[in-house]
Amino acid sequence: MNTVIPFQVVPTLPAQLKDLEEIAYNIAFDWSARARALFAQIGGDEWDASQHNPVRMLGRLSQKSLNEAAKDEGILSELQSVLHELRTYMSEPRWYQKSFGESGIPDLRIAYFSMEFGLTESIPNYSGGLGLLAGDHMKSASDLGLPLVGVGLLYQQGYFRQYLSADGWQQERYPDNDFHNMCLRLVRDPEGRPVTVEVGFPDGTLKAQIWKVQVGRVPIFLMDANLPENSPALREVTLALYGGDMETRIRQEILLGVGGVRLLHTLNLPPVVCHMNEGHSAFLALERIRIAMEKFGIDFRTAQEMTAAGNVFTTHTPVPAGIDIFPSGLMEKYFRSYAASLGVGWEEFMGFGRSNPANREEPLNVAILALRLSSGANGVSRLHGEVSRRMWNNLWANLPADEVPIASITNGVHLPTWVSPELKNLLNRYLGPRWMSEPDNPETWERVDRIPATELWLTQERARESLVSFCRQHLHQRWKGRGLSHGHLDLAAEILEPSTLTIGFARRFATYKRATLLLQQPDRLIALLTNKERPLQLIFAGKAHPRDTEGKSFIRDLINFARQPAVRRRVVFLEDYDIDVARHLVQGVDLWLNNPRRPQEASGTSGMKVAVNAALNLSILDGWWAEGYRSDRGWSIGAGEEYQDAGYQDKVECDNLFDRLEQEIVPLFYDRSSDGIPRGWVEMMRASLKNLAPVFNTNRMVREYAERFYLPLARHRSYLISNNLSPVRALAEWKGKVREAWPKVQVRNIMVDRNGVVSVGTPLRVEAEVDLGPLGPADVRVEVYHGSIDSAHQITDGKTTPMKVATDLGNGTYRFQGEFTCETAGARGVSVRVLPSNPDLPQPLDLHLLTWG
């Protein structure tokens, strides 16, 4: 075969339009209505045809079209205005600069690692909620001015594109992405050569080049292994998102974690704090240890303390089956020599990722690895935090579940990305610009009460009309591409009604999300859909995993139901769910339906996107809705029950779902005042927007990460490595001493005064003899643990009170004393416990040591 030398062709922009490149290569255009309108004005039909990709659009426009645009005074004036807006955004002080000075905390850099980033439909490098959350996280980090960088992989085929066969069965296609026609730039060295990173595998060294995506003020660096110098097997590591077998997955995760840390050091961007978005990037913790050992000449334990102090882990998975687990044989193949380079024995190395480190048969769990090598961990809603603490309780022996050190930071959405243009204009008029710059300020949203009901309702009517128009165009395009008859194409123009109550359901078609719950009572559903006076209509979208046969059957069932003549104008399934489809749906529906099996929905963000567009939610009390729901801003399905019998659960919750629709939701929507406005419905829209928007946004979420994790961990890590690393060396030595001595720690002779009977409000003194062995009182924290007791005589909802040394009894034994007060009557229990304590320990429980009396 002839040698092929690649080169790139770029559009020749007239001098007057050169500044368009600066706008096109910054994803900030995606949430700027003026920037998007400018590109639409220049590109015409090419803007939509390019999937709103300005780089591709400019490359497809004829030179004649570009020259004409360069002479249009209106375009040139708007170009300079949009450019000024972008440059001001990029340079002005934001929350971080205003809070910590113009330069912020010296040398602070936060690296956010994610397997996928959902930024815009024109960069299909995402599959669903995890990626969209990561994209919104980046956008809000930019809005807040945080010194943050993103790290991920760039997939040649991304996630699959969905289309349906004639019988409604999901099919997948995997078109190649053309990176040179996306809003990406290859990172090059001063000589113009692509910068690369390398990772060693058993069958050779993988080399990856680096692409940069600029997201406002924040860069994301994505690794691409599809290089001629790699073998075909290694090139496939970044072929597809979540594609391939288990060996492909471990290679992807090694490249993401190990390669990602090397990428940052190669670019001279060493991270202070690393945030693992799910366990896919857990191996980064090992590479940070290796680099610290090499750089500072320290041992493994010291390097572990130093790096774990700057690691944060966010889990998104409420069930163990959703977490990557690698068998020992596969781990040994890829990490045996790596462990040796760290000076760690193989079983000790594997133990970092095992619930029981001593169990040699147990595989490595990446979530456990991340938990063990991080100083901060969290779930993504309050309920998910509770679920996660129960799920990982066994890692902290004998610790009550509510004390497991996994916090919760509830997810949010990036308001400028998801709020419709029509509602943005309305909010700008009545709330001013602060709703965008400070979306987490509740005071700003109090002004929602000023919006007249007429204007709020007309905005929603226009949004619904726009959604119906989009659905008709989408169906026409898909059906035409499938070669359907003119009769079918004519039907596409008649499907849905702009004035009908519109319910949306769009998400991954995993079975626990129960996309077909409504179909369990088809007669009731058909009656609602075909009611002449008060009809409703349904819009579905979503993808099933290529290997999920049951999820695919859900899609086929919906398609077959929608094809019934009685309802075919009232039920729509939109193929190939992506950011563009999602944007139209969340901006145009009246009601969002979500009916997963509680508690399997960790958070969910699609309902949040609906709420910030002033629409309403009907959902199981799971994920975010468990804390967002109030009866004046939406509806619940059930009251938060959890069931053992799935069939019985489906029946009960399906009944409740239809009761809500028939008795409350449909009547309220169609109950109109004399001016045609559903006053009760509009007041719920107002309450939803006013109360949910300031809470469930990513500015609040990212600022919470900064205040609870990023900044405290950065300060603590800075302290640990001060004075030539003496604090971290001392901490590592102290931990070794404590681990060795802990088996000798015992609690004996617990004594409670007043013969176990005490009046409400009267102090109760507790004493205990504690044998600390070679440790001293300064090495431990001794606590009274007290609370109500259940029928099994176990303490529930326990509280702790510190105890102090009362007497040194000699030979390492001390009498400790503590006192607490019971404020309510009833059966109570008391125990005494001991845990390690050190002022340099960010989390006392990270040694996983606890002794009870």
Side-chain angles (χ1 to χ4, degrees):
M1 182 177 177
N2 294 333
T3 299
V4 176
I5 301 174
F7 64 96
Q8 185 181 1
V9 179
V10 297
T12 303
L13 291 179
Q16 300 92 323
L17 299 180
K18 276 293 183 183
D19 289 332
L20 275 173
E21 285 191 359
E22 185 175 341
I23 303 169
Y25 279 98
N26 192 318
I27 302 300
F29 77 77
D30 186 66
W31 67 89
S32 167
R34 292 182 65 188
R36 290 174 70 93
L38 174 64
F39 286 124
Q41 184 180 0
I42 294 171
D45 292 341
E46 283 291 351
W47 175 240
D48 287 331
S50 68
Q51 291 186 297
H52 308 137
N53 178 347
V55 174
R56 185 180 177 205
M57 182 198 78
L58 292 172
R60 288 172 55 152
L61 287 175
S62 67
Q63 201 62 48
K64 179 183 177 183
S65 297
L66 291 172
N67 290 337
E68 288 176 354
K71 298 174 184 176
D72 189 315
E73 292 184 3
I75 287 176
L76 296 180
S77 173
E78 185 63 6
L79 167 58
Q80 291 307 308
S81 182
V82 170
L83 183 67
H84 175 73
E85 186 180 81
L86 174 63
R87 288 177 175 174
T88 300
Y89 172 82
M90 295 290 286
S91 60
E92 67 184 358
R94 312 294 289 187
W95 168 78
Y96 176 73
Q97 288 73 31
K98 292 176 182 177
S99 301
F100 302 98
E102 188 61 37
S103 59
I105 298 173
D107 301 321
L108 175 62
R109 183 173 296 104
I110 306 144
Y112 182 93
F113 288 69
S114 183
M115 197 75 156
E116 53 178 296
F117 287 92
L119 299 165
T120 169
E121 60 267 31
S122 61
I123 305 180
N125 209 50
Y126 60 94
S127 70
L130 183 75
L132 294 184
L133 176 78
D136 281 10
H137 193 113
M138 295 297 104
K139 294 171 184 178
S140 280
S142 171
D143 290 346
L144 294 169
L146 274 180
L148 185 143
V149 300
V151 179
L153 306 181
L154 186 62
Y155 304 98
Q156 191 63 56
Q157 296 177 345
Y159 201 51
F160 71 90
R161 307 306 299 264
Q162 179 194 56
Y163 69 99
L164 301 178
S165 65
D167 66 346
W169 192 257
Q170 174 182 290
Q171 305 290 323
E172 299 87 29
R173 58 186 181 91
Y174 296 86
D176 280 348
N177 287 318
D178 180 1
F179 301 147
H180 292 284
N181 270 321
M182 291 182 180
C183 309
L184 314 165
R185 280 194 164 122
L186 200 57
V187 178
R188 299 181 183 273
D189 64 18
E191 285 73 43
R193 295 168 302 201
V195 177
T196 59
V197 293
E198 294 184 356
V199 177
F201 289 143
D203 55 343
T205 298
L206 178 147
K207 181 181 286 188
Q209 62 186 2
I210 304 164
W211 296 82
K212 179 182 176 183
V213 190
Q214 192 68 38
V215 185
R217 302 160 69 113
V218 169
I220 300 177
F221 298 101
L222 304 172
M223 291 169 283
D224 165 24
N226 187 18
L227 302 178
E229 49 264 56
N230 288 330
S231 68
L234 295 182
R235 294 175 73 167
E236 288 188 1
V237 170
T238 57
L239 175 64
L241 176 59
Y242 306 132
D245 56 13
M246 187 175 290
E247 187 147 16
T248 301
R249 177 61 66 89
I250 198 172
R251 290 181 180 221
Q252 288 182 329
E253 297 190 6
I254 291 170
L255 179 58
L256 175 61
V258 176
V261 172
R262 292 178 185 176
L263 175 159
L264 293 171
H265 284 272
T266 298
L267 298 179
N268 196 28
L269 299 171
V272 174
V273 175
C274 285
H275 185 169
M276 302 172 233
N277 187 39
E278 196 48 275
H280 307 123
S281 58
F283 296 136
L284 73 81
L286 300 171
E287 180 65 6
R288 295 194 80 189
I289 292 171
R290 189 195 66 79
I291 290 176
M293 292 174 65
E294 185 178 275
K295 179 178 180 181
F296 296 104
I298 53 181
D299 63 11
F300 178 85
R301 289 294 180 188
T302 306
Q304 179 189 346
E305 294 304 324
M306 173 183 166
T307 56
N311 289 340
V312 180
F313 169 55
T314 296
T315 174
H316 296 259
T317 309
V319 290
I323 296 167
D324 287 333
I325 295 174
F326 297 118
S328 299
L330 192 62
M331 284 296 300
E332 189 163 7
K333 178 178 178 179
Y334 282 89
F335 280 99
R336 186 82 190 209
S337 60
Y338 192 97
S341 73
L342 298 175
V344 177
W346 180 246
E347 292 304 326
E348 181 184 4
F349 180 87
M350 285 292 292
F352 287 113
R354 290 170 171 163
S355 59
N356 178 6
N359 182 2
R360 297 189 172 212
E361 303 302 314
E362 190 177 337
L364 182 132
N365 182 307
V366 293
I368 294 175
L369 179 68
L371 285 167
R372 284 227 166 90
L373 297 179
S374 298
S375 289
N378 69 284
V380 289
S381 69
R382 288 178 196 162
L383 179 59
H384 182 233
E386 296 171 11
V387 171
S388 298
R389 288 189 285 274
R390 291 198 302 267
M391 190 163 77
W392 301 117
N393 198 174
N394 62 321
L395 299 184
W396 287 267
N398 302 317
L399 185 70
D402 60 356
E403 293 188 72
V404 169
I406 300 176
S408 66
I409 295 180
T410 302
N411 285 343
V413 297
H414 185 245
L415 267 58
T417 294
W418 297 105
V419 173
S420 72
E422 295 83 5
L423 186 58
K424 279 181 181 176
N425 291 334
L426 189 67
L427 295 177
N428 286 336
R429 291 208 326 268
Y430 287 96
L431 276 62
R434 286 180 61 194
W435 75 269
M436 285 235 291
S437 60
E438 299 178 29
D440 52 343
N441 185 348
E443 291 182 8
T444 301
W445 296 93
E446 292 294 327
R447 300 176 189 172
V448 168
D449 289 336
R450 302 179 183 178
I451 303 174
T454 305
E455 291 197 50
L456 189 56
W457 180 244
L458 287 177
T459 300
Q460 175 60 22
E461 295 252 83
R462 285 194 294 268
R464 192 188 317 109
E465 289 171 4
S466 176
L467 171 60
V468 169
S469 175
F470 171 79
C471 290
R472 290 172 175 176
Q473 293 171 11
H474 186 91
L475 290 170
H476 186 275
Q477 182 182 15
R478 296 284 167 168
W479 291 355
K480 185 177 181 180
R482 209 183 297 165
L484 297 185
S485 67
H486 289 292
H488 277 92
L489 299 182
D490 291 341
L491 175 63
E494 301 172 359
I495 214 152
L496 303 178
E497 287 291 337
S499 60
T500 295
L501 170 59
T502 303
I503 300 178
F505 180 102
R507 52 190 41 87
R508 184 164 53 94
F509 266 61
T511 51
Y512 78 87
K513 294 179 183 282
R514 299 188 295 182
T516 55
L517 187 62
L518 279 169
L519 301 190
Q520 293 200 1
Q521 298 189 32
D523 292 341
R524 291 177 81 177
L525 179 56
I526 291 172
L528 284 167
L529 292 167
T530 59
N531 187 303
K532 292 183 179 180
E533 301 298 325
R534 303 186 306 185
L536 62 80
Q537 54 198 16
L538 296 167
I539 305 174
F540 291 90
K543 297 177 178 179
H545 189 279
R547 292 190 289 272
D548 185 359
T549 303
E550 191 172 359
K552 290 184 177 183
S553 71
F554 281 7
I555 294 175
R556 183 177 58 185
D557 291 344
L558 284 170
I559 296 297
N560 289 337
F561 178 83
R563 286 174 175 170
Q564 296 181 62
V567 300
R568 63 182 181 178
R569 286 180 172 82
R570 299 281 189 213
V571 183
V572 169
F573 183 90
L574 300 178
E575 295 176 45
D576 205 24
Y577 185 42
D578 66 358
I579 288 178
D580 190 41
V581 172
R583 184 186 293 114
H584 283 89
L585 276 171
V586 300
Q587 293 175 357
V589 297
D590 298 296
L591 184 71
W592 196 252
L593 175 62
N594 186 33
N595 42 238
R597 296 190 196 280
R598 176 184 162 116
Q600 296 187 51
E601 183 91 302
S603 174
T605 56
S606 58
M608 300 177 191
K609 293 163 188 152
V610 170
V612 301
N613 277 286
L616 305 178
N617 277 271
L618 167 62
S619 176
I620 296 287
L621 292 175
D622 198 7
W624 81 281
W625 194 236
E627 59 197 86
Y629 166 71
R630 298 291 185 278
S631 60
D632 65 337
R633 60 182 82 151
W635 293 271
S636 69
I637 302 169
E641 302 89 350
E642 295 178 20
Y643 297 82
Q644 299 299 317
D645 184 331
Y648 178 70
Q649 178 182 9
D650 289 352
K651 182 183 183 307
V652 170
E653 293 180 342
C654 186
D655 280 337
N656 187 249
L657 168 55
F658 275 103
D659 288 345
R660 291 285 201 212
L661 288 169
E662 294 164 347
Q663 299 170 23
E664 301 176 45
I665 295 170
V666 173
L668 185 67
F669 182 86
Y670 287 105
D671 181 14
R672 306 297 168 95
S673 57
S674 58
D675 54 5
I677 296 175
R679 297 281 172 174
W681 187 276
V682 171
E683 287 312 304
M684 289 188 73
M685 290 172 59
R686 191 191 305 279
S688 176
L689 179 62
K690 175 183 171 181
N691 294 290
L692 299 179
V695 177
F696 297 101
N697 64 78
T698 42
N699 277 44
R700 183 274 310 157
M701 180 193 82
V702 174
R703 195 160 77 171
E704 205 171 336
Y705 275 111
E707 292 172 342
R708 294 176 60 183
F709 287 134
Y710 299 160
L711 302 179
L713 293 189
R715 293 190 187 101
H716 183 67
R717 181 183 177 278
S718 178
Y719 160 73
L720 288 179
I721 64 175
S722 65
N723 195 20
N724 195 29
L725 277 68
S726 59
V728 74
R729 293 178 197 269
L731 180 60
E733 183 180 346
W734 175 84
K735 279 192 172 184
K737 178 186 75 171
V738 170
R739 286 192 185 97
E740 183 178 349
W742 202 258
K744 300 175 184 176
V745 174
Q746 297 180 35
V747 180
R748 298 191 295 265
N749 300 331
I750 300 174
M751 295 158 282
V752 180
D753 65 1
R754 301 181 184 274
N755 298 316
V757 178
V758 64
S759 302
V760 170
T762 302
L764 184 68
R765 190 173 69 249
V766 180
E767 295 183 350
E769 293 178 8
V770 182
D771 185 351
L772 296 178
L775 301 179
D779 297 319
V780 299
R781 191 166 80 201
V782 182
E783 299 173 334
V784 180
Y785 185 77
H786 55 95
S788 302
I789 55 174
D790 58 21
S791 58
H793 297 282
Q794 297 298 310
I795 296 174
T796 61
D797 300 320
K799 297 179 181 178
T800 60
T801 300
M803 302 179 75
K804 296 181 179 180
V805 174
T807 310
D808 183 347
L809 301 175
N811 297 319
T813 301
Y814 302 83
R815 179 177 291 115
F816 284 79
Q817 188 177 90
E819 189 174 88
F820 68 95
T821 302
C822 293
E823 301 298 337
T824 57
R828 298 289 186 271
V830 170
S831 188
V832 173
R833 66 185 192 181
V834 187
L835 59 161
S837 179
N838 186 304
D840 292 345
L841 198 64
Q843 172 49 256
L845 294 166
D846 72 358
L847 273 79
H848 300 259
L849 299 175
L850 185 66
T851 296
W852 291 86

